[in-house]
Each structure stands twice: as C-alpha cells, then as structure tokens.
Amino acid sequence: MKIINGGVTAAKGYQAASVAAGIKYQDRKDMALIYSEVPCTVAGTFTRNIVKAAPVRWDQEVVKNSKGVQAIIVNSGIANACTGAMGMENNKAMAEAVAEKLKLTADMVLTASTGVIGKQLNMEPVFNGINQLVSTLATTIEAGTLAAEAIMTTDTCKKELAIQFEIDGKTVTVGGMSKGSGMIHPNMGTMLAFLTSDVAISKELLQEALYEDVQSTYNMISIDGDTSTNDSCFLLANGLAGNTVITTKDDNYYRFVEALNVVNTALAKQMAGDGEGATKLLEVKVVNAVSKTEAITLSKSVATSSLVKTAVYGNDANWGRILCALGYAGVDFDPEKVDLYIESVDGKLKLVEDGIEADYSEEYATKILSGKEVCAIIDMKMGEAMATAWGCDLTYDYIKINADYRS
Amino acid sequence: MKIINGGVTAAKGYQAASVAAGIKYQDRKDMALIYSEVPCTVAGTFTRNIVKAAPVRWDQEVVKNSKGVQAIIVNSGIANACTGAMGMENNKAMAEAVAEKLKLTADMVLTASTGVIGKQLNMEPVFNGINQLVSTLATTIEAGTLAAEAIMTTDTCKKELAIQFEIDGKTVTVGGMSKGSGMIHPNMGTMLAFLTSDVAISKELLQEALYEDVQSTYNMISIDGDTSTNDSCFLLANGLAGNTVITTKDDNYYRFVEALNVVNTALAKQMAGDGEGATKLLEVKVVNAVSKTEAITLSKSVATSSLVKTAVYGNDANWGRILCALGYAGVDFDPEKVDLYIESVDGKLKLVEDGIEADYSEEYATKILSGKEVCAIIDMKMGEAMATAWGCDLTYDYIKINADYRS
C-alpha cells in the first residue's frame, strides 16, 4: 500500500473541473465537478441534523435508488439549507443541468452545497458555471487538486489524498478530497468528503465499508461542536481497476477497507488541524477504557471542551480541564486511577498519575504543547478499549471568522 | 413580594465576612465566611461530574447527615479538585478550624472552593484567613456584599439579590450570592451559589424546593459547555422569621418557592451575562414544544452553540445557525414549521417563518442584537411546552482569559 500524488482524479476513469462562478464571492473558485467515465456503485453517509439541506435530501434518494452515479456537482458560498421548496427546485435544476450536458439522467448526479444557511442560490451563475465545468473536465492530477481548492470556504488549505494497493495483481486506487473548517462536529457523515475508487465491489459492501470507517474517522473530529445541516460523505467505485468484484468480506475487502481508512483518517486529521482559526491539531487518545463506546464518548468530550481547546492554544498544561471534561462525559470511571500524558514531536510527558498531579516540568510541558500536532493520551486503567478523537485549539481567529462570517 | 438590598446577610440571623488571605493572588479578597446565629436546616445540590472536588464530597455528607449547619467557608484561587487524599484532609482541616473558632462541630460547617484544578491548598494562609474571618463577622448588608466579591474569580461583578414576602403576617427573607464565569454548564447544581433564608421549613421540603428550582434556573445556563468539578448550590433556612414551620405543600410553601425562584433566576441570569469575556446576555426561549424535556434540550442546544454565540457577538442575524443548533439537539421536529424572533430593548423582529427566511431588515436586526440583553424566541408549533435557557456571546476575551488562566 502506498500513498501517491493526487486526490479524486487519481483512480482510473475519473475527471474533475473547477470554476469561479461568482455564486457569492467574485474571483474565487466556488464550483467543482467530479465525473466518472463509467457509471459507479455509490455509498453515502449524511448528517443526522433534523434540519437537512436540499442537496442532502436529494442525495439520500440517489444513494438509495440509483442504478449508477456518474457525476457530483458541488458549490460553495451558499449551503442551500433552510430554503424550502425553492431550495429543492434549485437543487434539482442543478442536477438536471449537469445531466443534460453530460448526457446522463438526473438521478445519476449527486449534489453538494456549503456556505451560508438560509439564502437561495442565484441560478444564473450556477448554470453558467456548470457549462464551463463540463467543457473543462480533465483526468489530470491537477484537475483534482483544483477541485479540492474550489470547495474550500473558511478552510486555509486543500485536503486531498490518494493511495494505491493491489487486489488479484491489479492496482486499485482510492482517492479523496474534503473540506471542513467550521460547523464541524460530524454525526454520521461529514462536511463534504468525496472519495473515488476504481475498485470493483458490490453496493452493499461499499456502503458498509464507508459507514463503518466514517465512525472512526470523520465522526471522531470536532471543530466547534456544531453538527452541520450539509454533512455528506460520498464514495464512488467505478470498477475500472479490473479486480474480481468484491462480494464477500474476504482478504480483498479488508485490504480495500484498510486503504479507505488511511485516506479517511488523513482527510479527517487535515480537517481537524485546519479548523476555523486553529493553530494546531489536537489528538485525544483514550486507552484502556471499559468499552469502545465509552472510549469514544470520553475522547470526544475532551476534544470538544472549550476550556481544553483554549489551554492548548495557550500552550498551558492545565490538565485539570482534561480531567473535568472526562468527568462530565456521562461515563462512569474511577478518577483516582487516571493517568494522563501529552506528546508531540518534542517528546512525551506524564502530567497525571492516579488522578493527581505527577512530578513534571511546566517548561517542558509548554514546549511539547507548542507543537503543530499535540496528542493527549489518557489511560483509564479500566479495560482494554481505545478510541482517538481529533480537534483543534480555540483561538481569537475562530471568533473573528464567526462573528463576521456573512459579511 | 419585594426585592430589597443585600444578599446572604439580608435574612434574620446571618453574618458574613471576607478577607484577602493570599491563597493564590496577593491583595485580592479570596475567602468568605457565612455564619448563622442558630443552626439551620440545609439543602444542597452538587455537580454530576464524576470528578468531584474535595469540598463537594465533604458537603454531600454534611447535607445528608447533619442535624444543623451554621457556617459555610469558601475560598477562591484553588479549586481543591483532583487533589487526592491530601485534598480531602486539607478540606476537613478547613472545616475543623472554622468549627473550633465558632464553637461548632465540623459537621456543622460546609466548605466550598473555586479556582485552578489539581493544585493543593497552602493551609497556612487558609488558617490565618479563617482567624480573621471569624473575628470580623458582621450582620450588615455590606458584609454580605463584600463576601459576594471575595468569591469572584474571573467574574467581573458580584452577584447577589434578596427578596422579602410574608407568611402568617411574618416577614420572610431569601437572599443569595453566586459566582460564575468559566467552566459553567451546570448539571444538577451550579458553580457556587449560596442562599440564606430565615424561613421555617422542614428539611425534606427545603431540599425539594431547591432541587426543583435549580432545574429551571442554574441548570439552564451555560457559559462554555464545561460542567465544573466544584458546582455547588446551598440553601440555609434558620427559621428566625418566626412563621409556622412549613411541612406540607400549602400556599406558604409555594410562596417560598416563588421567592426562591426570583432569587435563583436573577442570580443565574447575572452569571450568564457575566460569562467569561461576555459582552451580553443571550436568552433562548423555546415555546410550543411537545414536552418540557424537549423544550429544555432545544433551548440549551441553541444557547451553547459556539456559532450562535459568535454571531451574537458580531450582532449578526445569522439565523441559520440557530436552526442548525435546533436540528442537532437530538429532538424530533418539523423544520418547516419553525418561527424565530429576536427581541431586545430595541424591539422585536421575526427572522424566520415556517423554516425559511422572513422578510426583515438586516439593519434593524443588527440594532436589536446590539442590546446588552438579547432574546431569541423559537416557536416550534408542535405542542404547548416551553423552556428558557441563558447563555452569553463568545468573544475574543473568552480566548484571552482561558488561554492564559493559570499564569
């Protein structure tokens, strides 16, 4: 298994394009199109927010009923959420316009939107954008990278990755791109991740592989505790790798799942580290918990605590806030057993032993916390389960970005 | 029923004192003592955090078993949480020192601590402080106000209130003080509220009155979503008002409950409005929900959303974030029924009708949101239940305070 250049166009038979359509901002790319030369098996996971954006409602039907998906059209700037019947019509028109240009039916087109909630899409720039996108589709790595840039909102960098491995002597590729940054606390899906593969696999196993992997990747990140109305994660598989179709959970299935996990974990960590205003990635690893569920709950509680996040921003080893966040997670444990370590490229240090302060150097703790990627390791000493959650620090810039997002 | 000057010393037979003991900071008051001239019936509610501070563990025993409480000793600066066996010993020594000076037994003394988690109390300044406190106890209104100041940490103002009403022609007083500011998301109790009354009432009804009222007051506020290790709310009743002892839920009981609610609501709102770094109070009123439980969940979800709180800070009527926060609260509802209004001293404005944008002036919305107290009213149009939650905006100063709290 090896990481290769590129993202959504890395696998065989995929093309991408991007354009500055002028949906909300001028002179900034805001639409992207992903196209597969042949129909794909599709899997998707979506937000559990009761308030679902128009594209999410459209896509849930497509993923459930479609005989084959060939395109995903994405816009940033306007989320097309809380837009009522007109929002649904605009979304459908977007899918239909893409279908017409690419000679598909509308139910072969997935849609995705991200941006401000509650505003209607202006359809003229959307239609013009679609025309340009279709005429500039390309199979190059660069086309995929530009698409990853076009879906950014408050993101500061593109998020993409591709990986290759072998099945039956055939090279299989899994690539993907995602966006994040604010309103990120995925529950079930995530804020726009697009995965493409040339693997041949049954629809049932594709959905199961995606669903299971999302639980330990995107669903373990949090930027600000707000679960968006638009979270969607798509996985297309067009079969062009030429492997025998995966229809049972054999070695080939698990090889695919492993590759998928590498891509999803990397994209999830990139999203967490590039949270709105963030200066660093916070990884929270809970080990030796009673059950996986409890380990998940405990690690997410710490990763989402505003007080933990501000302390991390300040490079302050204020470990009491971590124990406090464990304590209110709703999981039963013995506070007087807990050990806590922090780790970064600068080393590893025990801050807490059996629930009380260990003998450590504040200066060294501050140095470790100054890293770009900081990990807190929490040993519950109760069982054998573990989980990892990812978040980021909470900074002045998060306030700046969100006190003034619409203007 | 009328509001009067003062706080914990307003009711008959209560004294208070405060001192700068030098526990953590120099030249800043950091200890307070409340004393009742006669033994009190006591009620208490405490944090549900698994990690409980030493004073919370002490007080839970006292409230359960004590035949009568006469003193509460409080320190700020050090929370005495995550301090193991030594923390429990120091806490006991604090209660014993107060008992000895006041000729009580230690189980007649409640303790409370607030400040940094994980550090041990330095007992020499604590003992010196207790000596000074006991020798300066006074019944004056001013003594109560100074005590309310002594328990402040990152609070910017003291929180106190007193109210009088009549039972059997006898004047009954309920007074209180509280502190808040950070790590505030009470579950069951709250971050240090002290209530004193001269009402005569049975222990069972006193506990029930307090427990019930805490649910709709302190438990409905959130500053940052972090439930502290030290949350405690105490209610003392010394019976000196001379009313016939309340032993059933008669009119007199409900009159007392009403007065208690006025004091608790006012203190809770003062805590929310003075959240760390806050510039304004955010009130979230959910009406016409299916059940009280659902109304509580929905209103708290909105009041705790980082994205709602930053928008309020920016005076930005970004209502999509409010609908989003309702949507992920875990309550089922119809997004296409929801109406949303904002209100302040500058007026009231409908932002959303049936789940989509109403026709409103952004300029007027910004004016309303610029108020010191801003209310969001959310009409679910599903049933008849309602609930109100209180929070505050999320600002640069919250980051500043918490990225550097320990230094």
Side-chain angles (χ1 to χ4, degrees), chain A residues 47-53 81-82 117 228-230, chain B residues 323-324 326-328 333 335:
Chain A
T47 185
R48 276 191 178 152
N49 197 312
I50 294 280
V51 180
K52 289 179 170 61
C82 301
I117 297 173
S228 152
T229 49
N230 288 50
Chain B
L323 265 74
C324 178
L326 294 171
Y328 63 68
F333 65 91

Side-chain angles (χ1 to χ4, degrees), chain A residues 7-27:
Chain A
V8 290
T9 53
K12 278 191 198 114
Y14 289 96
Q15 303 181 14
S18 54
V19 70
I23 288 174
K24 180 156 180 275
Y25 306 101
Q26 297 307 313
D27 301 324

Side-chain angles (χ1 to χ4, degrees), chain B residues 97 99 115 162 260:
Chain B
L260 186 63

Side-chain angles (χ1 to χ4, degrees), chain A residues 49-50 226 305 316 327-328 406, chain B residues 49 226 305 316 327-328 406:
Chain A
N49 197 312
I50 294 280
D226 283 271
S305 158
D316 179 7
Y328 63 69
R406 294 196 311 168
Chain B
N49 197 312
D226 283 271
S305 158
D316 179 7
Y328 63 68
R406 293 196 312 168

